[in-house]
Amino acid sequence: MAKITFITADNESITVEGTSGSVMELAVNNNIKGIDGDCGGVCSCATCHVHVESEFVAKTGQAEELENDMLEFDDLTNEYSRLSCQLQVSEDLDGVVFKVAK
Amino acid sequence: MKASEFPDAFKDARQKEGVGKMNDQDDPVTMVLRHKEVRKCAHQWQAFQSGGEEVGRIVIPSEVKIRDTRQIPFEIDPPEHKSFRDILNPWFKRPLDEDYSAKLATIIEEIVEESLESNNVEIVEEFALKLQSRALTLLLNIPYSEADLWISWGTHVFRSDDSDLDVNKANILYKYIDKQIDLAIENPSESLYSVLLNSEVDGKKMTKEEVKGVLILTFAGGRDTVINAVTNSIAYFAGNPKALAVLKEKPEMINNAVEELVRYFSPLTQMGRVATKDTHVCEHAIKADTRISLNWASANRDENVFENPNEVVLDRKVNPHVSFGFGTHNCLGATHARQILRILLAKLSQKVTSIAILDSKENIENLGEFNRKVGFNSLNVQFKK
Ligand code: FES
């Protein structure tokens, strides 16, 4: 099980627990504001955009090419950007903090 | 060509030139064909605008001659665009509400059940148009019975048999919306008309003309597109009966299957923009005040992005298709459309084992040197339990 924290645009911090699925699904199931997951996780909508808090980048790893291409044309993108639908919930993500981009 | 196949009409031009040309009522269009450039141009709304002076010009075929009302927020650019979108987004996300999707499921189930009883269903008029019209009553939050009138208009609200754009037919819709707005002013309700009439954008009440602009977009943008997506899905399952069994067994695949079918069909081939300055795309010069189009259909088959682009891979995991557009002006009705298709696939896979095609007439778009199958003018089938 992993404890994952989301910080929304209005600075609310919400910690939730998950065992499987994607980080996007975890966020949507917990009604995290700013994460919609419109395309259901196929990397087509960018409504699951998060910024990984810098100290956790080693845990999340880097985005793949198609994910990066998607982020390239998003105005909210920075070097810590990820599409949370492309991140799987696992023990490895325990303790990670994501800032919701929108 | 098999009814279930939808060829890529743009491959050679996409690979060689990156652009294609077509004329449209003496206002030529440079079609942008590669995935990366399509997204890039969609992103650059300042360089390629939607909200220019001439209303209707970004639509292909151009509606400059048949429409004066600006579609909102479609033909407005930031920053005003955002103010309208902020008001509209929550309303257009209602399809995710349990109550809404339950009602949508009832509508779809009824049409599927009815079709199972018939030995010859014409999908475009008797299935897709009905489904789309009845579902639209939910999106507008108005009585279900209103759909009968829209169904009676037939599929071609803007076109007649001999012309791509027909002023008289378009006027039926515009006059109808005018009347509905007046009725909503007299008798306010919980409908989209009333909600918009009571809305303020940037501190100002929305005008009747603005409300009309949103409604025209809602009617027009969601009609042929949803009808194509639904009809083409039926054609796909007719050609691939195993897919129904797979989805029945693995309903968790339905989301990805919907995204993949929408990529493969690209129910809206393209959308235009007007260049605001001299620029270029794929090394082709684009002059200020000329039109480009973002060719979603071509981008969705770009072999640099999609493996086996001309195959339907129902569980395709990474699928950055642009069938709902991209960037600022992405499709406002996407949530509604996705819910329709997700429920449709669920119901079909639960209730239907195979679909036999009895007759079909393809709808081929003629786009300059390109001919693209976008859907069907008619598709007769028999469903089997
Ligand atoms: S949910 Fe659509 S890109 Fe992540």
Side-chain angles (χ1 to χ4, degrees), chain B residues 49-73:
Chain B
Q49 69 178 1
S50 296
E53 242 161 74
E54 285 162 294
V55 169
R57 195 175 170 203
I58 62 169
V59 184
I60 302 167
S62 169
E63 293 178 1
V64 166
K65 290 185 190 129
I66 63 160
R67 173 159 62 83
D68 302 316
T69 300
R70 187 175 291 276
Q71 289 188 12
I72 294 176

mmCIF file of all heavy atoms in Angstrom, chain B residues 49-73:
data_model
loop_
_atom_site.group_PDB
_atom_site.id
_atom_site.type_symbol
_atom_site.label_atom_id
_atom_site.label_comp_id
_atom_site.label_asym_id
_atom_site.label_seq_id
_atom_site.Cartn_x
_atom_site.Cartn_y
_atom_site.Cartn_z
ATOM 1 N N GLN B 49 -5.949 31.723 -35.338
ATOM 2 C CA GLN B 49 -7.064 32.081 -34.474
ATOM 3 C C GLN B 49 -8.384 31.424 -34.872
ATOM 4 O O GLN B 49 -8.589 30.999 -36.005
ATOM 5 C CB GLN B 49 -7.229 33.595 -34.416
ATOM 6 C CG GLN B 49 -7.704 34.215 -35.723
ATOM 7 C CD GLN B 49 -7.888 35.722 -35.598
ATOM 8 O OE1 GLN B 49 -7.649 36.313 -34.554
ATOM 9 N NE2 GLN B 49 -8.321 36.348 -36.676
ATOM 10 N N SER B 50 -9.257 31.371 -33.867
ATOM 11 C CA SER B 50 -10.618 30.869 -34.073
ATOM 12 C C SER B 50 -11.606 32.024 -34.085
ATOM 13 O O SER B 50 -12.673 31.931 -34.673
ATOM 14 C CB SER B 50 -11.003 29.925 -32.933
ATOM 15 O OG SER B 50 -10.189 28.784 -32.928
ATOM 16 N N GLY B 51 -11.240 33.091 -33.396
ATOM 17 C CA GLY B 51 -12.206 34.155 -33.137
ATOM 18 C C GLY B 51 -12.057 35.367 -34.037
ATOM 19 O O GLY B 51 -12.240 36.498 -33.596
ATOM 20 N N GLY B 52 -11.729 35.162 -35.291
ATOM 21 C CA GLY B 52 -11.585 36.295 -36.208
ATOM 22 C C GLY B 52 -12.905 36.990 -36.477
ATOM 23 O O GLY B 52 -13.958 36.594 -35.972
ATOM 24 N N GLU B 53 -12.824 38.047 -37.302
ATOM 25 C CA GLU B 53 -14.011 38.852 -37.565
ATOM 26 C C GLU B 53 -15.094 38.073 -38.298
ATOM 27 O O GLU B 53 -16.277 38.239 -38.048
ATOM 28 C CB GLU B 53 -13.613 40.040 -38.425
ATOM 29 C CG GLU B 53 -13.859 41.366 -37.746
ATOM 30 C CD GLU B 53 -13.047 42.439 -38.427
ATOM 31 O OE1 GLU B 53 -13.430 42.829 -39.544
ATOM 32 O OE2 GLU B 53 -12.023 42.852 -37.846
ATOM 33 N N GLU B 54 -14.644 37.233 -39.263
ATOM 34 C CA GLU B 54 -15.641 36.563 -40.093
ATOM 35 C C GLU B 54 -16.174 35.312 -39.419
ATOM 36 O O GLU B 54 -15.489 34.296 -39.331
ATOM 37 C CB GLU B 54 -15.021 36.171 -41.431
ATOM 38 C CG GLU B 54 -14.826 37.347 -42.346
ATOM 39 C CD GLU B 54 -13.824 36.986 -43.428
ATOM 40 O OE1 GLU B 54 -12.651 36.763 -43.101
ATOM 41 O OE2 GLU B 54 -14.241 36.903 -44.585
ATOM 42 N N VAL B 55 -17.400 35.399 -38.972
ATOM 43 C CA VAL B 55 -18.042 34.287 -38.287
ATOM 44 C C VAL B 55 -18.272 33.124 -39.258
ATOM 45 O O VAL B 55 -18.729 33.335 -40.366
ATOM 46 C CB VAL B 55 -19.384 34.762 -37.697
ATOM 47 C CG1 VAL B 55 -20.216 33.596 -37.220
ATOM 48 C CG2 VAL B 55 -19.139 35.761 -36.576
ATOM 49 N N GLY B 56 -17.914 31.927 -38.835
ATOM 50 C CA GLY B 56 -18.181 30.733 -39.654
ATOM 51 C C GLY B 56 -17.020 30.324 -40.535
ATOM 52 O O GLY B 56 -17.079 29.287 -41.193
ATOM 53 N N ARG B 57 -15.938 31.124 -40.516
ATOM 54 C CA ARG B 57 -14.864 30.847 -41.476
ATOM 55 C C ARG B 57 -14.007 29.652 -41.071
ATOM 56 O O ARG B 57 -13.386 29.017 -41.931
ATOM 57 C CB ARG B 57 -13.990 32.103 -41.612
ATOM 58 C CG ARG B 57 -13.098 32.041 -42.830
ATOM 59 C CD ARG B 57 -12.321 33.325 -43.033
ATOM 60 N NE ARG B 57 -11.312 33.130 -44.076
ATOM 61 C CZ ARG B 57 -10.218 33.862 -44.196
ATOM 62 N NH1 ARG B 57 -9.989 34.859 -43.358
ATOM 63 N NH2 ARG B 57 -9.349 33.610 -45.154
ATOM 64 N N ILE B 58 -13.912 29.337 -39.782
ATOM 65 C CA ILE B 58 -13.045 28.224 -39.384
ATOM 66 C C ILE B 58 -13.695 26.860 -39.603
ATOM 67 O O ILE B 58 -13.051 25.836 -39.469
ATOM 68 C CB ILE B 58 -12.544 28.345 -37.918
ATOM 69 C CG1 ILE B 58 -13.696 28.310 -36.925
ATOM 70 C CG2 ILE B 58 -11.681 29.573 -37.747
ATOM 71 C CD1 ILE B 58 -13.236 28.153 -35.479
ATOM 72 N N VAL B 59 -14.964 26.880 -39.938
ATOM 73 C CA VAL B 59 -15.621 25.611 -40.241
ATOM 74 C C VAL B 59 -15.326 25.270 -41.698
ATOM 75 O O VAL B 59 -15.231 26.152 -42.543
ATOM 76 C CB VAL B 59 -17.142 25.705 -40.023
ATOM 77 C CG1 VAL B 59 -17.805 24.359 -40.246
ATOM 78 C CG2 VAL B 59 -17.446 26.223 -38.632
ATOM 79 N N ILE B 60 -15.131 23.985 -41.981
ATOM 80 C CA ILE B 60 -14.905 23.545 -43.360
ATOM 81 C C ILE B 60 -15.936 22.471 -43.696
ATOM 82 O O ILE B 60 -15.958 21.443 -43.021
ATOM 83 C CB ILE B 60 -13.489 22.972 -43.532
ATOM 84 C CG1 ILE B 60 -12.460 24.054 -43.126
ATOM 85 C CG2 ILE B 60 -13.251 22.528 -44.974
ATOM 86 C CD1 ILE B 60 -11.059 23.514 -42.943
ATOM 87 N N PRO B 61 -16.820 22.659 -44.681
ATOM 88 C CA PRO B 61 -16.973 23.844 -45.518
ATOM 89 C C PRO B 61 -17.389 25.093 -44.736
ATOM 90 O O PRO B 61 -18.167 25.010 -43.776
ATOM 91 C CB PRO B 61 -18.072 23.445 -46.505
ATOM 92 C CG PRO B 61 -18.723 22.236 -45.941
ATOM 93 C CD PRO B 61 -17.774 21.596 -45.023
ATOM 94 N N SER B 62 -16.849 26.218 -45.193
ATOM 95 C CA SER B 62 -17.067 27.499 -44.529
ATOM 96 C C SER B 62 -18.554 27.823 -44.390
ATOM 97 O O SER B 62 -19.341 27.592 -45.308
ATOM 98 C CB SER B 62 -16.380 28.595 -45.334
ATOM 99 O OG SER B 62 -16.789 29.858 -44.855
ATOM 100 N N GLU B 63 -18.910 28.378 -43.227
ATOM 101 C CA GLU B 63 -20.306 28.763 -43.001
ATOM 102 C C GLU B 63 -20.486 30.274 -43.065
ATOM 103 O O GLU B 63 -21.507 30.808 -42.625
ATOM 104 C CB GLU B 63 -20.775 28.219 -41.629
ATOM 105 C CG GLU B 63 -20.844 26.695 -41.623
ATOM 106 C CD GLU B 63 -21.242 26.072 -40.290
ATOM 107 O OE1 GLU B 63 -21.496 26.824 -39.319
ATOM 108 O OE2 GLU B 63 -21.279 24.826 -40.222
ATOM 109 N N VAL B 64 -19.509 30.972 -43.634
ATOM 110 C CA VAL B 64 -19.562 32.440 -43.705
ATOM 111 C C VAL B 64 -20.862 32.910 -44.358
ATOM 112 O O VAL B 64 -21.468 33.894 -43.927
ATOM 113 C CB VAL B 64 -18.328 32.980 -44.470
ATOM 114 C CG1 VAL B 64 -18.506 34.429 -44.864
ATOM 115 C CG2 VAL B 64 -17.082 32.819 -43.610
ATOM 116 N N LYS B 65 -21.304 32.172 -45.379
ATOM 117 C CA LYS B 65 -22.486 32.631 -46.125
ATOM 118 C C LYS B 65 -23.806 32.214 -45.482
ATOM 119 O O LYS B 65 -24.856 32.682 -45.904
ATOM 120 C CB LYS B 65 -22.422 32.089 -47.555
ATOM 121 C CG LYS B 65 -21.314 32.747 -48.359
ATOM 122 C CD LYS B 65 -21.338 32.282 -49.809
ATOM 123 C CE LYS B 65 -20.077 32.751 -50.519
ATOM 124 N NZ LYS B 65 -19.402 31.644 -51.218
ATOM 125 N N ILE B 66 -23.757 31.331 -44.520
ATOM 126 C CA ILE B 66 -25.048 30.871 -43.972
ATOM 127 C C ILE B 66 -25.240 31.198 -42.493
ATOM 128 O O ILE B 66 -26.262 30.866 -41.923
ATOM 129 C CB ILE B 66 -25.248 29.340 -44.160
ATOM 130 C CG1 ILE B 66 -24.188 28.553 -43.393
ATOM 131 C CG2 ILE B 66 -25.271 28.948 -45.628
ATOM 132 C CD1 ILE B 66 -24.612 27.122 -43.135
ATOM 133 N N ARG B 67 -24.269 31.824 -41.867
ATOM 134 C CA ARG B 67 -24.414 32.031 -40.422
ATOM 135 C C ARG B 67 -23.820 33.377 -39.998
ATOM 136 O O ARG B 67 -22.705 33.698 -40.397
ATOM 137 C CB ARG B 67 -23.727 30.886 -39.669
ATOM 138 C CG ARG B 67 -23.664 31.054 -38.158
ATOM 139 C CD ARG B 67 -23.454 29.727 -37.453
ATOM 140 N NE ARG B 67 -22.186 29.077 -37.805
ATOM 141 C CZ ARG B 67 -21.021 29.365 -37.240
ATOM 142 N NH1 ARG B 67 -20.953 30.268 -36.291
ATOM 143 N NH2 ARG B 67 -19.929 28.732 -37.626
ATOM 144 N N ASP B 68 -24.578 34.138 -39.176
ATOM 145 C CA ASP B 68 -24.059 35.406 -38.625
ATOM 146 C C ASP B 68 -23.792 35.302 -37.141
ATOM 147 O O ASP B 68 -23.099 36.137 -36.570
ATOM 148 C CB ASP B 68 -25.087 36.534 -38.821
ATOM 149 C CG ASP B 68 -25.417 36.716 -40.285
ATOM 150 O OD1 ASP B 68 -24.477 36.715 -41.091
ATOM 151 O OD2 ASP B 68 -26.619 36.828 -40.613
ATOM 152 N N THR B 69 -24.399 34.328 -36.512
ATOM 153 C CA THR B 69 -24.224 34.202 -35.059
ATOM 154 C C THR B 69 -22.898 33.517 -34.758
ATOM 155 O O THR B 69 -22.591 32.461 -35.315
ATOM 156 C CB THR B 69 -25.371 33.374 -34.441
ATOM 157 O OG1 THR B 69 -26.603 34.037 -34.717
ATOM 158 C CG2 THR B 69 -25.194 33.219 -32.943
ATOM 159 N N ARG B 70 -22.131 34.127 -33.879
ATOM 160 C CA ARG B 70 -20.840 33.560 -33.489
ATOM 161 C C ARG B 70 -21.065 32.383 -32.548
ATOM 162 O O ARG B 70 -21.765 32.520 -31.536
ATOM 163 C CB ARG B 70 -20.021 34.645 -32.789
ATOM 164 C CG ARG B 70 -18.591 34.257 -32.460
ATOM 165 C CD ARG B 70 -17.816 35.434 -31.873
ATOM 166 N NE ARG B 70 -17.563 36.483 -32.858
ATOM 167 C CZ ARG B 70 -16.539 36.473 -33.716
ATOM 168 N NH1 ARG B 70 -15.669 35.503 -33.681
ATOM 169 N NH2 ARG B 70 -16.401 37.447 -34.593
ATOM 170 N N GLN B 71 -20.498 31.228 -32.873
ATOM 171 C CA GLN B 71 -20.614 30.084 -31.960
ATOM 172 C C GLN B 71 -19.673 30.303 -30.777
ATOM 173 O O GLN B 71 -18.508 30.651 -30.953
ATOM 174 C CB GLN B 71 -20.268 28.775 -32.680
ATOM 175 C CG GLN B 71 -21.337 28.369 -33.689
ATOM 176 C CD GLN B 71 -21.103 26.984 -34.275
ATOM 177 O OE1 GLN B 71 -20.274 26.212 -33.794
ATOM 178 N NE2 GLN B 71 -21.846 26.668 -35.314
ATOM 179 N N ILE B 72 -20.237 30.044 -29.585
ATOM 180 C CA ILE B 72 -19.494 30.324 -28.343
ATOM 181 C C ILE B 72 -19.352 29.044 -27.537
ATOM 182 O O ILE B 72 -20.331 28.318 -27.394
ATOM 183 C CB ILE B 72 -20.251 31.395 -27.517
ATOM 184 C CG1 ILE B 72 -20.230 32.720 -28.305
ATOM 185 C CG2 ILE B 72 -19.634 31.580 -26.138
ATOM 186 C CD1 ILE B 72 -21.025 33.826 -27.658
ATOM 187 N N PRO B 73 -18.169 28.755 -26.984
ATOM 188 C CA PRO B 73 -16.925 29.545 -27.007
ATOM 189 C C PRO B 73 -16.018 29.230 -28.203
ATOM 190 O O PRO B 73 -14.917 29.759 -28.286
ATOM 191 C CB PRO B 73 -16.247 29.116 -25.695
ATOM 192 C CG PRO B 73 -16.720 27.733 -25.454
ATOM 193 C CD PRO B 73 -18.082 27.603 -26.065
#
